[in-house]
């Protein structure tokens, strides 16, 4: 009978493969230098954040797979992966077999996997949990703006243009919601224009100068002027964009391609928001989830390759997250139901790669689910400090211990 | 055009409780302070109390005069017509019951049940979505038809005041019932509506009061009740919220019907806003209505909604007093507001940014077309106003928040689609869906600008431009707008090789130019004001 392998055993013993760093707590003082010097380069930090939302609740246990854990083996059947199937990470876990590119990034120390991310009093409703992630608050949408909205209002207060925060996709996530600093949102850049009367409207807009007037009419005229300029800029950036990198097919890859074009342009985009849907795998999980992993890996590979070697690429950090993980035990339909904690991926040239945080115990459960070990707002705090040279407390409303995600 | 000088009768004087120059009714046209109910004022009333004027509406209103017009609006809102009948026990409810039974009796897991009954579950969801779609189409069609403008307007107001969202309330029946509650109490007594909304299943679910019980109180409803529905921020304490939550324990719903659970109710003594007693929910509501803060909050909210501007302290106090002293009677409030010369002041006319529903429905009415309500409510959703799905419990922020670079251009594109000027394939994905809807409904706009202009003997550029601007804008056009429109018209006419005055001779080509002119006008910044 082999000894029960779990995370705690590993921690107390020697740690496995080279190239992995363990979670260590940076004292808060360690961040102060960032505020003083301006962070990762440029005004307001200069960093670019790519938020990739895996909607539906990604099964963390099938993403960062604790193959060595007996409880995992006991709890999963059709969704179970064995040691030989996973892409090895250490003596305890491995990555989903389709995540070969991400495995490379992990090896190259540019992928940080934050384990057991969640929040207290987990909510298993899609909408409510997503709202909590988006508002960075248990009160969800009672907050008047999303966390990125607040970030935008703070960092781009004086220095705003319509392309600072862009959502590429259909429905704009609440995280971007802000009255004062609205995000730009489109599914296809070609639709972001006047159709049927573009010449006339462009000409009219061209006649509005920086002083568009006061009151409601003044605001409308100003937005008309901005719309003409913005629409032209965005379509030029994306339309003229040429890359030797071949992106795979599918919506995710397409939106990543658009994001790359925007980042490499001089539009000054600082937050890109994207979404990959389909993770709510209550039944027949294996085939769906495998496909999603492949799409995710292929898309991110193309995206990173596209940005590699560029100045903008160096400042870009991707954060992939989901509104919750899924239950430890598989259900009766070869799927899993809503759970709690799960892993987050943070990818970038400046990222301190490796496993961060603590893998939750699969035995010490919270109502059948994993107990979170890292609050998601700690990850937010790390990103806010590093990329935007801003005190995270201003945005998040409270202090969260940032993680040492950046070297 | 007749000008009517409004006369304030003595009851109103008492209600307003103020001495103003108009109190002494002065029939002299020279009285600089006399308020003239002219075309601009009439249009303003129709834009705010309803969803805009169809061709001919303004003239009709001027004929009957302001007082009669206002009475007409109120009477329309008070009339209870045949409502929409929503199915209660939809397939969905049946499925949920079956699911629970399977779990209980066979120990079947939810996921297993769902896998086995996948088709039926999908059918249940589709049926629910279809009922919701039918209702929203019906509601927006009513707004377009304009038989009860004030009722429809107030229903929209209440939908954004006592918010609930279909994200949390997964039953179309419940969302519809809530909306019908707003319709039936649109201009009644606020207190009556408040008592009923506190029992509304959609509201109870949305704000988690269905889970509020003595042993585990849930404060969500009590908090929003005070902060957003009655008193406003800063007018109560955290302790008040806690105690009020206790009073509402046991107020829950069972399959879309209000149910009071005595077992879950906290019968103990509570202290709320300085009053102590064994209060239940109704008692709390009565206490809230007694507060001056409640009257002020509602009065301010209504004035801000209808005028698009914050009221002065003096005016706010007067209107709050009107509510407090008249049991929050809304017909009196609205009548007073719509007869108030201040309502028609320069700063308030034509200066409000139209929300998506206002923009789409208003533009359709001004054009004299009637697109399928579905196209309009979907369009409004693309523009940030998804009916039955407000962004958060505060409802829609409105004002400048409606206008971003993206939504401004999309408004223009949606109008282009409704005018039949945009083909599918050109539009963005959002607009695509709406164009698809129009196509499926085989709907085309029934427009003939040329014949209208012919009848009025308007053939020259300037006359045509002025007519079209007056017709299609809810507000007076700016000089800039006139210049742009004239320029467009002249250019297009010249392309057809015609001189000024000859445009209408080009028949089909002229009609096409006029349609594009309409599109241009509805894309102007001014087109978003009402």
């Amino acid at each position: 009978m082999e000894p029960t392998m779990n995370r705690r055993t590993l921690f107390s013993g020697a740690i496995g493969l080279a190239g992995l760093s363990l979670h260590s707590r940076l004292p808060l003082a360690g961040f102060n230098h960032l505020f003083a010097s301006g962070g990762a380069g440029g005004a307001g930090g200069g960093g670019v954040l790519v938020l990739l939302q895996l909607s539906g609740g990604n099964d963390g246990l099938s993403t960062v797979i604790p193959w060595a854990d007996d409880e995992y083996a006991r709890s999963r059947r059709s969704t179970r992966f064995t040691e030989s199937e996973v892409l090895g990470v250490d003596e305890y876990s491995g990555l989903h077999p389709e995540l070969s590119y991400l495995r490379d990034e992990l090896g190259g120390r540019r992928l940080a996997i934050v384990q057991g991310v969640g929040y207290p009093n987990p909510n298993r409703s899609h909408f409510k949990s997503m709202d909590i992630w988006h508002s960075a608050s248990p009160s969800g949408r009672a907050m008047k703006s999303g966390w990125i909205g607040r970030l935008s209002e703070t960092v781009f207060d004086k220095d705003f243009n319509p392309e600072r925060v862009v959502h590429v996709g259909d429905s704009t996530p609440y995280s971007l919601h802000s009255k004062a600093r609205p995000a730009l949102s489109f599914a296809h850049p070609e639709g972001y224009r006047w159709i049927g009367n573009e010449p006339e409207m462009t000409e009219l807009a061209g006649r509005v100068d920086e002083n568009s007037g006061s009151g409601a009419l003044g605001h409308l005229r100003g937005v008309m002027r901005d719309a003409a300029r913005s629409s032209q800029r965005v379509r030029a950036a994306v339309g003229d964009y040429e890359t030797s990198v071949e992106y795979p097919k599918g919506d995710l890859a397409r939106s990543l391609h658009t994001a790359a074009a925007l980042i490499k342009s001089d539009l000054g985009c600082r937050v890109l928001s994207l979404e990959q849907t389909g993770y709510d795998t209550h039944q027949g999980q294996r085939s769906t989830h495998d496909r999603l992993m492949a799409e995710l890996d292929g898309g991110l590979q193309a995206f990173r390759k596209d940005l590699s070697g560029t100045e903008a690429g160096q400042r870009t950090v991707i954060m992939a997250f989901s509104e919750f993980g899924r239950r430890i035990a598989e259900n009766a339909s070869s799927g899993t139901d809503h759970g709690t904690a799960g892993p987050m991926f943070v990818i970038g040239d400046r990222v301190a790669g490796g496993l961060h945080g603590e893998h939750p115990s699969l035995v010490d459960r919270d109502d059948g689910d994993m107990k979170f070990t890292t609050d998601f707002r700690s990850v937010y705090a790390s990103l806010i400090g590093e990329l935007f040279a801003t005190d995270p407390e201003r945005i998040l409303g409270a202090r969260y211990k940032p993680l040492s995600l950046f070297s | 055009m007749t000008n009517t000088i409004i006369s304030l009768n003595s009851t109103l004087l008492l209600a307003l409780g103020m001495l103003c120059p108009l109190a002494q009714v002065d029939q002299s046209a020279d009285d600089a302070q006399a308020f003239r109910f002219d075309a601009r004022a009439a249009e303003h009333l129709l834009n705010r109390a309803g969803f805009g004027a169809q061709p001919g509406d303004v003239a009709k209103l001027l004929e009957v005069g302001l007082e009669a017009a206002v009475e007409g609006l109120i009477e329309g809102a008070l009339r209870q017509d045949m409502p929409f009948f929503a199915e209660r026990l939809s397939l969905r409810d049946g499925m949920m019951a079956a699911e629970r039974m399977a779990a209980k009796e066979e120990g079947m897991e939810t996921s297993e049940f769902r896998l086995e009954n996948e088709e039926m579950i999908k059918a249940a969801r589709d049926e629910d979505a279809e009922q919701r779609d039918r209702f929203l189409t019906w509601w927006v069609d009513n707004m377009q038809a304009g038989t009860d403008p004030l009722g429809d307007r107030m229903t929209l107001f209440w939908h954004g005041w006592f918010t609930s969202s279909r994200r949390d309330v997964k039953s179309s029946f419940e969302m519809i019932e809530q909306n019908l509650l707003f319709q039936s109490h649109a201009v009644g007594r606020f207190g009556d509506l408040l008592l009923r909304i506190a029992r509304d299943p959609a509201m109870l679910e949305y704000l988690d009061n269905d889970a509020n019980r003595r042993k585990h109180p849930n404060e969500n409803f009590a908090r929003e009740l005070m902060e957003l529905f009655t008193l406003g921020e800063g007018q109560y304490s955290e302790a008040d919220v806690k105690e009020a939550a206790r009073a509402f324990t046991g107020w829950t719903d069972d399959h879309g019907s209000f149910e009071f659970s005595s077992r879950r109710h906290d019968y103990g003594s509570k202290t709320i806003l300085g009053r102590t007693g064994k209060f239940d929910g109704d008692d709390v509501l009565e206490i809230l209505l007694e507060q001056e803060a409640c009257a002020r909050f509602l009065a301010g909210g209504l004035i801000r909604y209808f005028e698009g501007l914050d009221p002065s302290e003096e005016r706010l106090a007067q209107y709050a007093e009107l509510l407090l002293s008249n049991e929050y009677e809304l017909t009196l409030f609205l009548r007073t507001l719509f007869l108030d010369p201040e309502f028609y002041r320069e700063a308030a006319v034509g200066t409000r940014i139209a929300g998506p529903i206002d923009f789409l429905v208003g533009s359709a009415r001004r054009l004299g077309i009637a697109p399928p309500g579905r196209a309009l409510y979907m369009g409004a959703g693309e523009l940030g106003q998804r009916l039955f799905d407000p962004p958060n419990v505060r409802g829609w922020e409105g004002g400048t928040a409606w206008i971003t670079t993206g939504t401004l251009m999309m408004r223009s594109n949606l109008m282009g689609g409704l005018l039949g000027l945009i083909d599918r394939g050109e539009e963005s994905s959002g607009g695509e869906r709406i164009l698809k809807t129009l196509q499926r409904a085989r709907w085309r706009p029934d427009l003939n600008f040329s014949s209208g202009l012919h009848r009025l003997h308007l053939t020259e550029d300037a006359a045509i431009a002025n007519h079209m601007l007056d017709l299609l804008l809810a507000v007076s056009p700016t000089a800039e707008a006139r210049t742009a429109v004239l320029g467009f018209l002249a250019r297009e006419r010249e392309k057809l090789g015609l001189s000024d005055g000859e445009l209408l001779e080009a028949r089909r080509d002229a009609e096409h130019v006029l349609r594009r002119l309409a599109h241009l006008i509805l894309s102007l910044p001014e087109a978003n004001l009402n």
Side-chain angles (χ1 to χ4, degrees):
Chain A
M1 187 81 143
E2 55 191 8
T4 309
M5 273 288 248
N6 58 36
R7 208 67 187 113
R8 296 174 209 296
T9 327
L10 270 176
F11 269 126
S12 56
I15 303 307
L17 304 170
L20 294 177
S21 62
L22 276 185
H23 166 75
S24 66
R25 289 174 189 271
L26 243 196
L28 215 50
F31 259 129
N32 293 341
H33 79 278
L34 287 172
F35 308 148
S37 68
V48 177
L49 175 62
V50 176
L51 286 172
L52 176 49
Q53 177 174 307
L54 310 180
S55 298
N58 176 35
D59 183 25
L61 292 178
S62 292
T63 310
V64 184
I65 300 159
W67 56 269
D69 196 312
D70 288 344
E71 192 55 34
Y72 168 77
R74 271 195 284 275
S75 307
R76 294 298 179 96
R77 296 180 304 279
S78 71
T79 58
R80 183 186 164 203
F81 294 86
T82 60
E83 181 181 5
S84 56
E85 289 173 289
V86 307
L87 303 175
V89 170
D90 64 6
E91 297 289 297
Y92 179 71
S93 59
L95 288 177
H96 185 286
E98 294 287 357
L99 300 179
S100 50
Y101 155 72
L102 286 176
R103 177 63 189 83
D104 283 343
E105 289 279 51
L106 184 68
R109 308 205 58 184
R110 289 177 303 269
L111 162 64
I113 300 175
V114 187
Q115 304 173 94
V117 183
Y119 55 91
N121 305 314
N123 194 307
R124 291 170 182 75
S125 143
H126 282 300
F127 294 127
K128 291 212 162 90
S129 197
M130 212 31 128
D131 287 349
I132 291 170
W133 279 78
H134 285 160
S135 59
S137 162
S139 49
R141 289 184 179 218
M143 299 294 283
K144 290 181 191 178
S145 46
W147 75 284
I148 296 293
R150 291 197 293 284
L151 181 72
S152 189
E153 286 163 14
T154 307
V155 179
F156 310 123
D157 181 36
K158 301 281 188 309
D159 181 25
F160 182 74
N161 58 267
E163 300 91 22
R164 281 288 184 220
V165 177
V166 182
H167 175 72
V168 183
D170 273 324
S171 48
T172 316
Y174 196 75
S175 48
L176 273 49
H177 187 78
S178 158
K179 178 172 179 174
R181 294 285 175 264
L184 182 52
S185 184
F186 49 75
H188 305 282
E190 317 84 64
Y192 179 54
R193 64 185 175 100
W194 278 290
I195 299 172
N197 56 5
E198 190 169 12
E200 289 88 8
M201 293 310 297
T202 307
E203 203 223 348
L204 195 61
R207 296 205 218 119
V208 182
D209 61 22
E210 294 321 307
N211 177 21
S212 59
S214 61
L217 182 61
H219 177 81
L220 285 158
R221 295 178 77 237
V223 175
M224 178 176 69
R225 173 200 63 219
D226 293 344
R229 296 175 184 175
S230 178
S231 144
Q232 208 270 319
R233 281 196 298 260
V234 167
R235 283 181 295 140
V238 183
D240 294 346
Y241 185 62
E242 281 182 15
T243 173
S244 55
V245 171
E246 217 178 286
Y247 280 77
K249 285 194 172 32
D251 289 339
L252 174 62
R254 199 186 357 238
S255 50
L256 281 164
H257 176 266
T258 301
L262 292 171
I263 292 170
K264 283 161 93 172
S265 74
D266 58 0
L267 287 176
C269 300
R270 298 291 301 281
V271 178
L272 279 300
S273 159
L274 311 163
E275 192 183 3
Q276 184 190 24
T277 58
Y279 281 92
D280 194 19
T281 48
H282 285 284
Q283 54 221 34
Q285 171 169 310
R286 189 64 185 257
S287 53
T288 305
H289 191 258
D290 286 352
R291 177 182 51 80
L292 292 169
M293 290 285 103
E295 262 177 31
L296 180 66
D297 197 67
L300 287 176
Q301 178 171 28
F303 179 73
R304 283 278 291 161
K305 200 164 163 204
D306 205 357
L307 287 177
S308 78
T310 67
E311 190 268 331
Q314 279 181 345
R315 293 186 280 119
T316 300
V317 173
I318 305 162
M319 182 186 96
F321 70 101
S322 195
E323 68 263 42
F324 39 63
R326 302 189 83 80
R327 282 181 95 78
I328 300 169
E330 190 170 309
N331 65 27
S333 320
S334 306
T336 52
D337 299 324
H338 301 173
T340 51
M344 272 170 91
F345 290 161
V346 182
I347 307 160
D349 291 350
R350 280 192 157 78
V351 168
L355 288 170
H356 291 250
E358 203 181 301
H359 196 286
S361 163
L362 300 188
V363 274
D364 178 20
R365 303 179 183 194
D366 173 9
D367 192 18
D369 290 317
M370 287 175 272
K371 291 182 178 169
F372 81 100
T373 50
T374 299
D375 193 303
F376 72 93
R377 286 156 294 196
S378 286
V379 184
Y380 285 8
S382 310
L383 293 165
I384 291 167
E386 173 70 20
L387 299 174
F388 301 96
T390 298
D391 181 3
E393 192 174 346
R394 285 181 71 188
I395 313 297
L396 303 174
R399 271 226 172 289
Y400 295 94
K401 269 212 175 86
L403 310 169
S404 53
L405 289 178
F406 297 96
S407 46
Chain B
M1 194 181 294
T2 46
N3 292 331
T4 315
I5 309 214
I6 65 161
S7 58
L8 294 172
N9 62 42
S10 49
T11 329
L12 279 171
L13 268 184
L14 237 50
L16 285 171
M18 65 184 182
L19 281 170
C20 89
L22 287 162
Q24 268 73 54
V25 174
D26 193 333
Q27 299 290 338
S28 159
D30 288 324
D31 188 342
Q33 296 186 330
F35 160 60
R36 279 179 163 68
F37 184 59
D38 57 8
R40 198 152 168 266
E43 184 149 27
H44 176 64
L45 179 63
L46 289 169
N47 287 337
R48 303 300 172 89
F51 292 93
Q54 278 178 328
D57 281 354
V58 168
K60 277 193 214 136
L61 229 65
L62 292 174
E63 230 178 295
V64 300
L66 176 59
E67 275 188 37
V70 171
E71 278 321 300
L73 286 166
I74 290 174
E75 266 159 43
L78 285 170
R79 203 167 45 226
Q80 298 297 323
D81 291 327
M82 282 289 270
F84 182 97
F85 286 104
E87 252 192 81
R88 173 199 221 94
L89 200 62
S90 63
L91 195 51
R92 173 187 165 268
D93 286 339
M95 287 305 300
M96 280 175 67
E99 189 177 293
R100 271 191 295 273
M101 202 160 61
K104 200 167 159 203
E105 292 174 13
E106 299 165 48
M108 204 186 232
E109 270 188 43
T110 307
S111 59
E112 217 180 328
F113 178 85
R114 286 183 185 176
L115 187 60
E116 260 189 41
N117 298 282
E118 208 173 335
E119 269 180 51
M120 280 190 72
I121 288 173
K122 184 171 186 304
R125 279 211 195 103
D126 288 346
E127 195 197 53
D128 202 68
E130 201 248 344
Q131 178 164 260
R132 180 181 70 242
D133 168 71
R134 260 189 298 120
F135 180 79
L136 292 178
T137 298
W138 176 81
W139 186 17
V140 174
D141 279 341
N142 289 346
M143 291 180 209
Q144 286 197 84
T147 41
D148 176 16
L150 183 59
D152 289 327
R153 168 60 77 193
M154 285 304 293
T155 304
L156 186 61
F157 173 79
W158 293 126
H159 180 40
W161 185 270
F162 291 118
T163 50
S164 298
S165 171
R166 65 175 184 89
R167 287 168 175 268
D168 300 87
V169 182
K170 306 234 164 119
S171 157
S172 63
F173 170 75
E174 287 174 28
M175 287 303 295
I176 292 167
E177 286 290 293
Q178 187 187 80
N179 196 279
L180 292 174
L181 173 68
F182 298 148
Q183 290 194 26
S184 61
H185 287 71
V187 296
R189 271 188 243 197
F190 177 69
D192 289 346
L193 179 54
L194 188 63
L195 256 70
R196 281 180 167 68
I197 200 66
R199 288 170 166 73
D200 175 71
M203 176 60 73
L204 294 169
E205 282 172 38
Y206 180 64
L207 292 180
D208 306 315
N209 206 68
D210 56 343
N212 183 17
R213 56 185 83 177
R214 183 172 43 90
K215 289 195 178 145
H216 290 285
N218 184 301
E219 291 172 15
N220 204 3
F221 174 69
R223 182 180 307 284
E224 308 304 357
L225 172 68
M226 292 192 186
E227 183 179 341
L228 299 174
F229 301 165
T230 56
L231 306 177
E233 271 180 274
Q235 301 297 324
Y236 55 89
S237 69
E238 275 306 299
D240 291 324
V241 171
K242 275 195 160 54
E243 296 284 87
R246 291 175 56 211
F248 283 104
T249 47
W251 285 43
T252 183
D253 82 294
D254 177 39
H255 289 96
S257 290
F258 174 72
E259 188 183 79
F260 174 69
S261 166
S262 179
R263 188 172 44 90
R264 293 188 186 178
H265 184 67
D266 180 340
Y267 285 96
S269 174
K270 300 114 184 157
T271 300
I272 298 165
L273 295 167
R275 300 265 307 274
T276 304
K278 293 187 201 261
F279 299 134
D280 70 358
D282 284 335
D283 297 319
V284 171
L285 296 174
E286 289 304 329
I287 293 170
L288 292 172
L289 288 166
E290 281 167 19
Q291 308 300 312
E292 193 190 323
C294 183
R296 283 175 64 88
F297 190 64
L298 180 62
L302 283 164
I303 294 174
R304 202 167 297 118
Y305 183 75
F306 281 102
E307 295 189 356
L309 300 165
D310 288 331
S312 67
E313 173 52 46
E314 197 191 326
R315 215 148 153 258
L316 178 61
Q318 283 160 2
Y319 276 91
E321 180 56 35
L322 197 61
L323 287 173
L324 262 180
S325 331
N326 291 281
E327 297 180 317
Y328 290 83
E329 175 59 64
L330 290 162
T331 54
L332 179 58
F333 184 97
L334 292 170
R335 187 183 294 115
T336 309
L337 182 64
F338 297 146
L339 294 176
D340 186 350
E342 278 298 293
F343 182 70
Y344 301 92
R345 68 190 187 279
E346 194 66 32
V349 175
T351 57
R352 186 182 72 165
I353 291 183
I357 285 286
D358 272 68
F359 174 74
L360 292 171
V361 173
S363 299
R365 283 177 60 79
R366 278 182 285 280
L367 278 167
I369 59 175
R374 176 173 302 109
L376 297 193
Y377 91 68
M378 283 171 62
E382 294 294 325
L383 293 173
Q385 189 173 26
R386 268 196 306 272
L387 298 176
F388 280 10
D389 187 13
N392 55 43
V393 66
R394 283 179 172 67
W396 291 279
E397 289 184 68
T400 54
W402 291 127
I403 307 295
T404 66
T405 52
T407 59
L408 185 64
M409 292 192 288
M410 185 168 286
R411 285 174 175 223
S412 164
N413 296 343
L414 287 172
M415 290 318 303
L418 291 175
L419 285 165
L421 292 170
I422 294 176
D423 292 325
R424 279 184 62 191
E426 281 190 85
E427 245 303 0
S428 61
S429 57
E432 270 285 298
R433 280 194 283 275
I434 285 127
L435 287 172
K436 220 188 287 188
T437 302
L438 296 175
Q439 208 174 62
R440 247 190 260 125
R442 292 209 182 85
W443 182 85
R444 289 194 169 287
D446 185 10
L447 287 166
N448 196 333
F449 294 116
S450 311
S451 78
L453 292 164
H454 261 302
R455 239 185 303 114
L456 296 164
H457 307 296
L458 303 171
T459 56
E460 318 232 307
D461 287 356
I464 293 175
N466 287 340
H467 174 81
M468 294 289 279
L469 282 164
D470 284 344
L471 177 72
L472 297 178
L473 294 180
V475 305
S476 309
T478 57
E480 192 181 64
R482 283 195 207 278
T483 308
V485 162
L486 264 171
F488 172 83
L489 207 46
R491 272 196 311 275
E492 295 301 312
R493 178 184 39 74
E494 273 155 30
K495 274 193 212 159
L496 296 170
L498 301 164
S499 316
D500 194 358
E502 293 176 344
L503 176 64
L504 296 184
E505 292 167 27
R507 298 172 136 250
R508 256 232 331 249
D509 287 333
E511 187 59 25
H512 186 65
V513 168
L514 291 168
R515 213 175 268 206
R516 287 178 54 218
L517 177 65
H519 187 203
L520 177 64
I521 292 172
L522 290 167
S523 305
L524 294 169
E526 290 86 334
N528 298 284
L529 294 169
N530 72 2

